[in-house]
Amino acid sequence: MPTVRLDAVVKRYPNGTEALNGLSFEVEPGEFVYLSGPSGAGKTTLIKLLLRMETASDGDILVFGKNLRALRKSSIPYLRRNVGVIFQDFRLLHDRTVYDNVAVGLYILGLSRREVRQRVEGVLYDLGIDRYAGAYPPMLSGGEQQRVAVGRALAMQPALILADEPTGNLDWELSSDIVRLFESLNERGATVLMATHDRFLIEAYPKRTLLLNKGFLIEDQRLPGEEIEDQ
Amino acid sequence: MNEQEQPARDPDRPEAPASQPASPPSGLAIVRRAIHLLSEGVRGLLISPGQVLACVASLAVATCLVTLFGSFGSTAVDMLERAGHRARVIIYLKERVSSEQVSELLKEIGKRPDVEFANYLSAEEDRARNAALLPPDLASSLPPATIPGQHCIEAGFGDSTERIPDVVGLTSFLRDLEEVEVVAEPPVGAARIRAASAAVRFGRLALSVLAALLVVSTLFFVVGTLTRTMERRREEMSILRLIGATDAFLKTPLYIQGILQGAAGVLIGASLGRFAISAANTWLATELAVAISLPTGEDMLVPFSLLAGAVIGTLGAFIATSRRLP
């Protein structure tokens, strides 16, 4: 069962703009996939649809085999608990410490303080930001803040990671660090769907790439090995 | 993630539990979540401390006024009503009035709906009644013959009488009767007492409505404070939503904050009211030999205040979260 499956998905806004036009693709468990394309291609809209922040105008979206169209509103939080999401602007809580930012999702899961502490400390250590546990996000660099955002997603141990331009505000070195981090998560079994318009990054760390433009899926570029596997 | 696929662990790395809780929360998870939400609710109070204090103060003032209005109003109405109901009319009869005529008179007076009882008293019984009204030492020192006594009818308005006694109508009716010599009016004027009682009752109603409006207006303070909290935490709430927070998870701290504010405000107000009544009672007991009592009673003041505060807080949180939750 694919982790993500889109079937002729259309997203049309009330003003008539079609952000996505008949998008169809599948992402298998354990895959690392780039969503690429220029601004306005529909990458962010797609991420929003996968998180059920918005609903598709037409077509079906299945995440973990569940059709998001049929998903009850009360079930959406339970879907999101299995999807780690990382944004370009980090979306951190500036009045909470790094530790609390990473722990916030674990309180939703109802873990004990001991479990929360163990998981957060483990994640902060893995990301190399354990020394900043008591610091507040504004005290950190952009790369460190993005690591905190990644940590928040990782602490939930999600099966799917959605990253919307996570390197958009970072320099090349930090961007590379973030992609390598996602690679290590992917190696541990997480499915990663990362939206980026950075062609250099994609070339440096080549993966299957879904190229979008004006809401259309222009190309599904697979790595040579993957193409052989498909055949 | 699949733990088996993870690389060998660094010995320095803190050990993290591998298991992910299932979607349906366990009982223990609910308790942990409740503790977390309680702390978040308390944290909400610190987001806009000035506004929270203003809200609690306004609730306290409103509750204090409600307590005072209720206590003083109830006591005043109670005193006046009891005085009004205890009014007596004494109908002194001419000497020659026969027992048959007395029976007729008793029937006539007894027909009036505001009169609860009408008793005939002989001259001796009247003398004894008069003697009982005198201070005991004076009554015992006087020769019995010096205490006046005349056969009469005593008409009274009992506590169960709902109608306002028409004392003026009754006395006019009795004075026109041939058998009647004198009609003694109530010593403090029952009609005036009844009128005053009605006025106090109306005043109490008006003040209670005013106090209720005051309490309702404080509800908007609660809504305002919670709305402010939501605005300050809007970004946080939208992030929590994205990582799997349910509506209940977002709303519960706001309800807790509202209930804490409401309970604190009402409890402080009721306590202030009780303090004011206690101080007033010290003076009233010596000057007027009366005591004001709390509408809820002493024992129920704290539980009733907490309940009322919780209701106000819950209503405020319901209104705020229904309209503004991100």
Side-chain angles (χ1 to χ4, degrees):
Chain A
M1 180 180 67
T3 303
V4 174
R5 183 180 164 189
L6 271 75
D7 191 7
V9 169
V10 175
K11 177 61 187 175
R12 195 177 301 110
Y13 286 105
N15 63 5
T17 310
E18 288 205 343
L20 296 176
N21 280 295
L23 228 57
S24 297
F25 65 86
E26 288 182 359
V27 177
E28 295 298 328
E31 264 196 291
F32 189 134
V33 180
Y34 289 118
L35 277 175
S36 188
S39 296
K43 304 186 293 291
T44 299
T45 302
L46 182 55
I47 298 276
K48 284 181 176 176
L49 290 178
L50 291 172
L51 275 171
R52 190 58 157 77
M53 292 167 73
E54 293 180 5
T55 49
S57 310
D58 210 351
D60 290 318
I61 301 173
L62 280 78
V63 178
F64 306 124
K66 288 182 179 169
N67 192 329
L68 300 192
R69 185 184 295 283
L71 203 63
R72 284 179 301 158
K73 199 185 168 202
S74 59
S75 300
I76 296 171
Y78 299 101
L79 167 85
R80 288 178 181 168
R81 287 176 197 182
N82 288 309
V83 180
V85 59
I86 297 140
F87 296 98
Q88 181 179 4
D89 56 356
F90 320 136
R91 297 220 188 161
L92 297 176
L93 307 174
H94 288 187
D95 60 342
R96 307 253 184 153
T97 62
V98 165
Y99 180 97
D100 285 338
N101 268 281
V102 175
V104 70
L106 304 180
Y107 293 124
I108 295 172
L109 297 179
L111 298 192
S112 70
R113 258 179 212 285
R114 189 179 60 87
E115 288 171 312
V116 170
R117 184 169 49 78
Q118 286 177 337
R119 235 190 238 195
V120 173
E121 285 176 355
V123 165
L124 292 179
Y125 182 86
D126 286 347
L127 297 174
I129 48 172
D130 48 334
R131 63 186 181 281
Y132 300 126
Y136 290 87
M139 298 159 69
L140 307 180
S141 70
E144 288 160 346
Q145 287 191 45
Q146 191 57 292
R147 280 172 182 270
V148 177
V150 172
R152 182 179 63 201
L154 284 194
M156 307 276 282
Q157 297 182 346
L160 171 64
I161 293 173
L162 299 177
D164 188 10
E165 300 277 5
T167 59
N169 286 335
L170 306 179
D171 60 29
W172 171 255
E173 198 176 333
L174 290 173
S175 299
S176 301
D177 280 351
I178 293 293
V179 174
R180 282 197 293 268
L181 192 62
F182 286 151
E183 279 183 331
S184 72
L185 300 175
N186 180 237
E187 282 164 12
R188 291 188 204 178
T191 307
V192 179
L193 197 55
M194 175 175 156
T196 181
H197 63 269
D198 190 338
R199 294 297 305 171
F200 297 112
L201 202 65
I202 295 171
E203 282 166 18
Y205 300 94
K207 313 280 177 202
R208 178 186 168 195
T209 303
L210 299 169
L211 189 60
L212 302 180
N213 194 10
K214 293 180 180 174
F216 290 95
L217 179 60
I218 303 298
E219 196 177 350
D220 185 351
Q221 300 170 338
R222 288 175 183 266
L223 295 181
E226 289 176 333
E227 285 172 344
I228 291 165
E229 269 180 29
D230 286 349
Q231 288 163 6
Chain B
M1 282 182 283
N2 187 349
E3 285 291 310
Q4 289 176 337
E5 292 178 20
Q6 289 187 14
R9 286 194 180 280
D10 182 336
D12 292 337
R13 184 187 185 278
E15 202 59 43
S19 61
Q20 172 123 1
S23 293
S26 68
L28 201 58
I30 289 171
V31 172
R32 286 176 193 142
R33 219 170 291 173
I35 293 168
H36 172 73
L37 293 174
L38 183 66
S39 68
E40 286 295 301
V42 173
R43 184 174 159 266
L45 292 170
L46 305 174
I47 286 181
S48 310
Q51 201 166 358
V52 169
L53 278 178
C55 174
V56 170
S58 64
L59 261 170
V61 169
T63 310
C64 184
L65 289 175
V66 170
T67 309
L68 293 177
F69 294 163
S71 301
F72 283 98
S74 298
T75 308
V77 168
D78 187 47
M79 285 169 60
L80 287 167
E81 291 211 339
R82 272 194 279 168
H85 282 305
R86 282 173 183 168
R88 301 278 192 277
V89 176
I90 310 294
I91 305 127
Y92 288 101
L93 306 171
K94 290 174 180 169
E95 284 294 330
R96 57 180 169 75
V97 174
S98 65
S99 56
E100 289 80 17
Q101 285 174 304
V102 169
S103 298
E104 284 301 315
L105 265 175
L106 285 172
K107 276 186 195 169
E108 201 65 37
I109 296 167
K111 282 180 188 170
R112 298 181 67 90
D114 50 350
V115 173
E116 190 176 82
F117 66 89
N119 298 325
Y120 173 75
L121 300 176
S122 67
E124 286 309 309
E125 286 170 331
D126 183 46
R127 184 171 290 114
R129 188 184 62 81
N130 286 335
L133 293 173
L134 295 171
D137 52 339
L138 178 62
S140 59
S141 65
L142 288 173
T146 59
I147 298 172
Q150 186 177 342
H151 75 147
C152 60
I153 291 172
E154 185 185 38
F157 310 100
D159 287 351
S160 62
T161 307
E162 290 300 321
R163 287 183 56 143
I164 294 171
D166 182 12
V167 181
V168 176
L170 180 64
T171 53
S172 312
F173 161 73
L174 293 168
R175 279 189 187 116
D176 291 341
L177 297 175
E178 194 188 335
E179 300 89 337
V180 172
E181 189 173 275
V182 173
V183 177
E185 293 207 29
V188 286
R192 287 185 184 176
I193 290 169
R194 296 297 298 184
S197 172
V200 168
R201 202 182 297 127
F202 175 76
R204 184 180 62 169
L205 178 69
L207 288 175
S208 299
V209 170
L210 204 66
L213 287 175
L214 211 57
V215 172
V216 169
S217 71
T218 61
L219 189 66
F220 290 100
F221 273 93
V222 177
V223 174
T225 313
L226 294 176
T227 304
R228 172 93 169 147
T229 301
M230 278 191 288
E231 280 167 8
R232 295 284 291 271
R233 298 176 73 173
R234 182 167 290 277
E235 177 69 10
E236 178 183 339
M237 286 180 161
S238 61
I239 290 168
L240 289 174
R241 265 203 192 289
L242 284 177
I243 60 177
T246 56
D247 267 5
F249 190 89
L250 298 177
K251 283 179 179 178
T252 305
L254 296 162
Y255 273 83
I256 290 169
Q257 185 185 339
I259 288 169
L260 289 176
Q261 277 176 220
V266 174
L267 192 61
I268 291 169
S271 301
L272 286 174
R274 177 162 68 175
F275 177 75
I277 288 166
S278 170
N281 273 344
T282 310
W283 179 79
L284 287 170
T286 52
E287 296 293 322
L288 300 172
V290 293
I292 309 287
S293 56
L294 287 165
T296 57
E298 285 286 336
D299 294 344
M300 292 304 292
L301 184 74
V302 171
F304 186 82
S305 301
L306 292 176
L307 181 68
V311 169
I312 290 172
T314 304
L315 272 174
F318 175 76
I319 295 169
T321 55
S322 300
R323 295 165 56 199
R324 299 282 177 89
L325 193 71

